[in-house]
Amino acid sequence: MELIKGPLVTVRFLTGGAVGMAPAKLRPILAYCRWCRLCRIGRACLEGCLMLITNPACPGVSGNWLDPDWWGSQARPVSAGGRGSAWFVDTDQGEMVLRQYRRGGLIARLSERQYVFTGWQRTRSYREYQLLRRLYDQGLPVPEPIAARAKRYGLLYEAAILIRRIPGAVPLPEVDNLQDEGLWREVGRTIRRFHDAGLDHVDLNCDNILVTGCDVYLIDFDRCRLRAQPGAGARWKTGNLERLQRSVGKRCSSFSPGQFQRLWGALKQAYVSA
Protein backbone atom coordinates (compact mmCIF):
# COMPACT_ATOMS: atom_id res chain seq x y z
CA MET A 1 0.00 0.00 0.00
CA GLU A 2 1.46 3.38 -0.97
CA LEU A 3 1.68 5.70 2.03
CA ILE A 4 3.24 8.81 0.53
CA LYS A 5 3.19 10.25 -2.96
CA GLY A 6 4.88 13.51 -3.77
CA PRO A 7 6.96 15.22 -6.43
CA LEU A 8 10.21 13.84 -5.03
CA VAL A 9 9.52 10.40 -3.59
CA THR A 10 7.02 7.64 -3.23
CA VAL A 11 7.24 5.73 0.06
CA ARG A 12 5.70 2.32 0.63
CA PHE A 13 5.58 -0.07 3.56
CA LEU A 14 5.72 -3.78 2.91
CA THR A 15 5.24 -6.72 5.26
CA GLY A 16 6.25 -10.29 4.69
CA GLY A 17 7.83 -9.43 1.33
CA ALA A 18 4.61 -8.21 -0.27
CA VAL A 19 2.73 -4.95 -0.25
CA GLY A 20 0.07 -5.08 2.46
CA MET A 21 -2.36 -2.95 4.40
CA ALA A 22 -0.86 -0.41 6.77
CA PRO A 23 -0.92 -1.66 10.38
CA ALA A 24 -3.86 -0.22 12.35
CA LYS A 25 -1.62 1.81 14.63
CA LEU A 26 -0.06 3.48 11.56
CA ARG A 27 -3.27 4.82 10.04
CA PRO A 28 -3.76 7.80 12.39
CA ILE A 29 -0.20 8.89 11.67
CA LEU A 30 -0.44 9.15 7.87
CA ALA A 31 -1.04 12.91 8.06
CA TYR A 32 2.45 13.31 9.45
CA CYS A 33 3.89 11.12 6.69
CA ARG A 34 2.77 13.56 4.05
CA TRP A 35 5.18 16.07 5.56
CA CYS A 36 8.00 13.49 5.46
CA ARG A 37 8.03 13.01 9.24
CA LEU A 38 8.91 9.37 8.93
CA CYS A 39 10.13 9.30 12.52
CA ARG A 40 6.47 9.10 13.55
CA ILE A 41 6.09 5.99 11.41
CA GLY A 42 9.32 4.56 12.77
CA ARG A 43 8.09 4.66 16.35
CA ALA A 44 4.84 2.94 15.46
CA CYS A 45 6.11 0.49 12.87
CA LEU A 46 5.87 -3.24 13.43
CA GLU A 47 8.95 -5.44 13.30
CA GLY A 48 9.79 -6.92 9.92
CA CYS A 49 8.55 -3.92 7.95
CA LEU A 50 10.37 -2.71 4.88
CA MET A 51 10.54 0.92 3.77
CA LEU A 52 10.86 1.53 0.05
CA ILE A 53 11.40 4.99 -1.42
CA THR A 54 11.11 5.29 -5.19
CA ASN A 55 11.58 8.06 -7.72
CA PRO A 56 8.19 8.75 -9.36
CA ALA A 57 10.00 9.31 -12.65
CA CYS A 58 10.92 5.60 -12.65
CA PRO A 59 7.68 3.59 -12.45
CA GLY A 60 7.81 -0.15 -11.83
CA VAL A 61 10.69 -0.11 -9.35
CA SER A 62 10.10 -2.65 -6.58
CA GLY A 63 11.94 -3.82 -3.50
CA ASN A 64 13.49 -6.64 -5.53
CA TRP A 65 15.46 -4.09 -7.51
CA LEU A 66 17.61 -3.49 -4.42
CA ASP A 67 18.60 -7.14 -4.10
CA PRO A 68 21.65 -8.08 -6.24
CA ASP A 69 20.75 -11.78 -6.18
CA TRP A 70 17.39 -11.01 -7.81
CA TRP A 71 19.19 -9.62 -10.86
CA GLY A 72 21.39 -12.66 -11.41
CA SER A 73 23.81 -12.14 -14.29
CA GLN A 74 22.43 -8.64 -14.87
CA ALA A 75 24.29 -7.47 -11.73
CA ARG A 76 28.06 -7.05 -12.07
CA PRO A 77 30.27 -6.16 -9.08
CA VAL A 78 31.88 -2.73 -9.08
CA SER A 79 35.63 -3.20 -8.83
CA ALA A 80 36.77 0.26 -7.69
CA GLY A 81 36.23 1.54 -4.14
CA GLY A 82 33.73 0.34 -1.57
CA ARG A 83 33.77 -2.95 0.32
CA GLY A 84 32.46 -5.29 -2.35
CA SER A 85 28.98 -3.92 -1.76
CA ALA A 86 28.14 -2.26 -5.11
CA TRP A 87 26.93 -3.63 -8.44
CA PHE A 88 26.25 -2.31 -11.92
CA VAL A 89 22.74 -3.38 -12.88
CA ASP A 90 21.18 -3.56 -16.36
CA THR A 91 17.49 -2.65 -16.08
CA ASP A 92 14.73 -1.92 -18.57
CA GLN A 93 15.08 1.72 -17.49
CA GLY A 94 18.81 2.00 -18.15
CA GLU A 95 22.00 1.14 -16.31
CA MET A 96 22.03 1.70 -12.58
CA VAL A 97 24.28 1.20 -9.58
CA LEU A 98 23.05 -0.76 -6.57
CA ARG A 99 24.86 -0.32 -3.27
CA GLN A 100 24.25 -2.11 0.00
CA TYR A 101 25.34 -0.40 3.21
CA ARG A 102 28.16 -2.25 4.91
CA ARG A 103 30.36 -1.48 7.87
CA GLY A 104 34.12 -1.25 7.82
CA GLY A 105 36.78 -1.68 10.46
CA LEU A 106 36.61 -3.84 13.56
CA ILE A 107 32.87 -3.40 14.10
CA ALA A 108 32.24 -5.22 10.81
CA ARG A 109 33.35 -8.44 12.52
CA LEU A 110 30.33 -8.16 14.80
CA SER A 111 27.79 -6.96 12.23
CA GLU A 112 28.75 -6.28 8.63
CA ARG A 113 25.41 -5.11 7.24
CA GLN A 114 23.12 -4.39 10.18
CA TYR A 115 22.66 -1.10 12.02
CA VAL A 116 20.69 -0.13 15.11
CA PHE A 117 17.18 1.00 14.16
CA THR A 118 16.18 4.39 15.64
CA GLY A 119 13.49 5.44 13.15
CA TRP A 120 12.97 5.28 9.39
CA GLN A 121 14.10 8.85 8.80
CA ARG A 122 17.42 8.02 10.51
CA THR A 123 18.26 5.03 8.33
CA ARG A 124 21.35 5.41 6.16
CA SER A 125 19.42 4.84 2.93
CA TYR A 126 16.68 7.36 3.73
CA ARG A 127 19.16 10.09 4.63
CA GLU A 128 21.39 9.55 1.61
CA TYR A 129 18.45 9.38 -0.79
CA GLN A 130 16.99 12.65 0.49
CA LEU A 131 20.37 14.42 0.39
CA LEU A 132 21.13 13.12 -3.08
CA ARG A 133 17.69 14.19 -4.29
CA ARG A 134 18.27 17.68 -2.94
CA LEU A 135 21.69 18.01 -4.58
CA TYR A 136 20.36 16.65 -7.87
CA ASP A 137 17.47 19.13 -7.88
CA GLN A 138 19.95 21.97 -7.33
CA GLY A 139 21.71 21.00 -10.56
CA LEU A 140 24.89 19.78 -8.88
CA PRO A 141 26.83 17.01 -10.68
CA VAL A 142 25.54 13.92 -8.87
CA PRO A 143 23.83 10.74 -10.10
CA GLU A 144 20.03 10.64 -10.10
CA PRO A 145 18.58 8.74 -7.11
CA ILE A 146 16.18 5.95 -8.13
CA ALA A 147 15.23 4.08 -4.96
CA ALA A 148 16.19 3.42 -1.34
CA ARG A 149 15.25 0.57 0.95
CA ALA A 150 15.52 -0.20 4.65
CA LYS A 151 14.39 -3.50 6.16
CA ARG A 152 13.89 -3.79 9.89
CA TYR A 153 14.71 -6.86 11.96
CA GLY A 154 13.64 -6.05 15.50
CA LEU A 155 16.20 -3.58 16.86
CA LEU A 156 18.33 -3.74 13.72
CA TYR A 157 17.96 -2.94 10.03
CA GLU A 158 19.70 -3.41 6.68
CA ALA A 159 19.67 -0.87 3.87
CA ALA A 160 20.44 -0.34 0.19
CA ILE A 161 20.25 2.46 -2.38
CA LEU A 162 19.83 2.48 -6.16
CA ILE A 163 21.12 5.31 -8.36
CA ARG A 164 21.35 5.89 -12.09
CA ARG A 165 24.75 5.11 -13.57
CA ILE A 166 26.59 8.04 -15.14
CA PRO A 167 27.38 6.94 -18.73
CA GLY A 168 31.08 6.52 -19.42
CA ALA A 169 32.17 7.73 -15.98
CA VAL A 170 35.29 6.25 -14.35
CA PRO A 171 36.97 6.95 -10.99
CA LEU A 172 39.53 9.76 -11.04
CA PRO A 173 42.62 7.46 -10.71
CA GLU A 174 41.55 5.50 -13.83
CA VAL A 175 41.29 8.37 -16.33
CA ASP A 176 43.72 8.47 -19.25
CA ASN A 177 44.65 12.14 -18.75
CA LEU A 178 45.41 11.88 -15.05
CA GLN A 179 48.43 14.19 -15.37
CA ASP A 180 46.46 16.93 -17.11
CA GLU A 181 46.37 20.10 -15.00
CA GLY A 182 43.07 21.07 -16.63
CA LEU A 183 41.45 17.96 -15.17
CA TRP A 184 42.63 18.77 -11.66
CA ARG A 185 41.46 22.35 -11.99
CA GLU A 186 38.00 21.07 -12.91
CA VAL A 187 38.04 18.79 -9.88
CA GLY A 188 38.87 21.80 -7.71
CA ARG A 189 36.07 23.91 -9.20
CA THR A 190 33.58 21.05 -8.75
CA ILE A 191 34.45 20.56 -5.08
CA ARG A 192 34.07 24.32 -4.55
CA ARG A 193 30.53 24.18 -6.01
CA PHE A 194 29.55 21.55 -3.47
CA HIS A 195 31.17 23.42 -0.60
CA ASP A 196 29.41 26.63 -1.57
CA ALA A 197 26.14 24.66 -1.43
CA GLY A 198 27.05 23.60 2.12
CA LEU A 199 27.88 19.94 1.43
CA ASP A 200 30.22 18.33 3.93
CA HIS A 201 31.44 15.20 2.10
CA VAL A 202 32.90 13.15 4.93
CA ASP A 203 34.38 10.52 2.58
CA LEU A 204 35.85 12.65 -0.19
CA ASN A 205 38.38 10.36 -1.83
CA CYS A 206 39.60 9.60 -5.36
CA ASP A 207 37.12 6.78 -5.95
CA ASN A 208 34.19 9.02 -5.05
CA ILE A 209 35.13 11.43 -7.84
CA LEU A 210 33.97 10.28 -11.28
CA VAL A 211 35.08 11.73 -14.59
CA THR A 212 33.36 11.49 -17.95
CA GLY A 213 34.76 13.60 -20.77
CA CYS A 214 35.15 17.11 -19.36
CA ASP A 215 32.62 16.60 -16.56
CA VAL A 216 33.37 15.76 -12.94
CA TYR A 217 30.85 14.19 -10.53
CA LEU A 218 30.82 13.36 -6.83
CA ILE A 219 29.24 10.15 -5.53
CA ASP A 220 28.67 8.22 -2.27
CA PHE A 221 26.98 10.60 0.16
CA ASP A 222 26.51 8.17 3.03
CA ARG A 223 26.81 10.08 6.35
CA CYS A 224 27.32 13.37 4.46
CA ARG A 225 25.25 16.42 5.33
CA LEU A 226 24.41 19.97 4.33
CA ARG A 227 25.79 22.62 6.64
CA ALA A 228 23.45 25.47 7.47
CA GLN A 229 26.23 28.08 7.43
CA PRO A 230 28.98 27.11 4.95
CA GLY A 231 31.48 29.79 5.98
CA ALA A 232 34.46 30.47 3.74
CA GLY A 233 37.04 29.19 6.24
CA ALA A 234 34.99 26.38 7.76
CA ARG A 235 37.10 23.62 9.28
CA TRP A 236 35.00 20.88 7.67
CA LYS A 237 35.97 22.15 4.20
CA THR A 238 39.64 21.92 5.08
CA GLY A 239 39.02 18.43 6.43
CA ASN A 240 37.38 17.35 3.16
CA LEU A 241 40.36 18.60 1.13
CA GLU A 242 42.92 17.05 3.46
CA ARG A 243 41.16 13.70 3.20
CA LEU A 244 41.21 13.92 -0.58
CA GLN A 245 44.88 14.89 -0.57
CA ARG A 246 45.74 11.76 1.42
CA SER A 247 43.67 9.66 -0.97
CA VAL A 248 45.48 11.12 -3.99
CA GLY A 249 48.81 10.25 -2.39
CA LYS A 250 47.70 6.62 -1.96
CA ARG A 251 45.71 6.01 -5.16
CA CYS A 252 47.92 8.02 -7.53
CA SER A 253 51.18 6.56 -6.28
CA SER A 254 52.78 6.76 -9.73
CA PHE A 255 53.13 10.53 -9.34
CA SER A 256 56.58 11.86 -8.58
CA PRO A 257 56.74 14.39 -5.73
CA GLY A 258 56.99 17.16 -8.30
CA GLN A 259 53.96 15.93 -10.26
CA PHE A 260 51.93 15.60 -7.10
CA GLN A 261 52.70 19.15 -6.01
CA ARG A 262 51.98 20.55 -9.47
CA LEU A 263 48.60 18.82 -9.90
CA TRP A 264 47.43 19.33 -6.33
CA GLY A 265 48.45 22.97 -6.64
CA ALA A 266 46.29 23.29 -9.76
CA LEU A 267 43.31 21.82 -7.86
CA LYS A 268 43.78 24.17 -4.89
CA GLN A 269 44.22 27.24 -7.08
CA ALA A 270 41.02 26.48 -9.03
CA TYR A 271 39.18 25.77 -5.76
CA VAL A 272 40.18 29.13 -4.28
CA SER A 273 39.52 31.20 -7.39
CA ALA A 274 36.17 29.56 -8.32
Side-chain angles (χ1 to χ4, degrees):
M1 176 181 180
E2 291 187 2
L3 296 187
I4 308 173
K5 259 193 170 180
L8 300 184
V9 298
T10 299
V11 181
R12 303 184 183 94
F13 271 87
L14 297 84
T15 56
V19 177
M21 290 294 293
K25 63 172 72 175
L26 279 181
R27 292 170 193 156
I29 307 172
L30 297 188
Y32 293 107
C33 304
R34 297 190 180 278
W35 297 100
C36 293
R37 296 181 182 176
L38 290 180
C39 58
R40 306 299 183 91
I41 296 179
R43 295 188 185 115
C45 186
L46 300 180
E47 294 184 4
C49 280
L50 181 150
M51 180 193 72
L52 176 65
I53 307 175
T54 59
N55 187 332
C58 301
V61 176
S62 69
N64 289 331
W65 284 47
L66 290 104
D67 182 356
D69 294 334
W70 186 77
W71 291 102
S73 61
Q74 291 176 261
R76 308 180 309 281
V78 176
S79 58
R83 305 184 179 96
S85 59
W87 295 263
F88 295 125
V89 180
D90 296 321
T91 79
D92 58 6
Q93 300 189 46
E95 283 193 292
M96 300 185 186
V97 180
L98 167 61
R99 191 178 84 247
Q100 293 180 334
Y101 292 82
R102 293 188 182 179
R103 296 181 181 275
L106 294 176
I107 197 168
R109 299 181 180 179
L110 299 176
S111 178
E112 184 181 29
R113 291 185 53 198
Q114 293 187 326
Y115 301 84
V116 176
F117 182 85
T118 58
W120 295 112
Q121 92 293 351
R122 295 187 179 94
T123 58
R124 306 283 277 265
S125 53
Y126 175 83
R127 287 188 168 186
E128 183 172 3
Y129 183 98
Q130 298 291 7
L131 175 59
L132 187 54
R133 183 79 241 183
R134 191 167 175 180
L135 297 172
Y136 183 82
D137 289 342
Q138 291 181 30
L140 290 166
V142 299
E144 180 184 11
I146 303 301
R149 186 180 73 174
K151 189 169 184 179
R152 183 182 177 186
Y153 301 92
L155 299 177
L156 304 175
Y157 76 93
E158 296 178 354
I161 191 169
L162 185 69
I163 61 176
R164 191 173 299 281
R165 186 178 183 183
I166 301 168
V170 297
L172 177 62
E174 299 180 12
V175 300
D176 295 331
N177 60 331
L178 188 58
Q179 298 185 24
D180 181 2
E181 287 188 22
L183 169 64
W184 290 86
R185 283 193 289 269
E186 186 59 31
V187 172
R189 285 190 289 266
T190 300
I191 295 172
R192 177 62 184 272
R193 287 182 63 190
F194 282 92
H195 280 178
D196 287 348
L199 179 76
D200 181 2
H201 198 306
V202 298
D203 192 21
L204 187 60
N205 61 58
C206 288
D207 291 308
N208 287 336
I209 299 175
L210 300 186
V211 181
T212 174
C214 299
D215 298 321
V216 175
Y217 294 79
L218 295 191
I219 62 170
D220 195 352
F221 298 94
D222 181 28
R223 298 181 296 109
C224 299
R225 59 174 172 166
L226 288 175
R227 298 278 187 168
Q229 297 179 334
R235 184 177 299 178
W236 59 267
K237 295 181 181 180
T238 302
N240 288 177
L241 292 171
E242 290 176 347
R243 184 179 183 87
L244 177 59
Q245 186 176 22
R246 292 192 296 269
S247 175
V248 172
K250 294 178 181 178
R251 292 284 282 116
C252 305
S253 56
S254 61
F255 288 166
S256 67
Q259 289 175 323
F260 181 90
Q261 292 298 326
R262 175 175 60 86
L263 297 173
W264 185 256
L267 182 152
K268 287 294 296 291
Q269 183 180 22
Y271 175 90
V272 172
S273 61

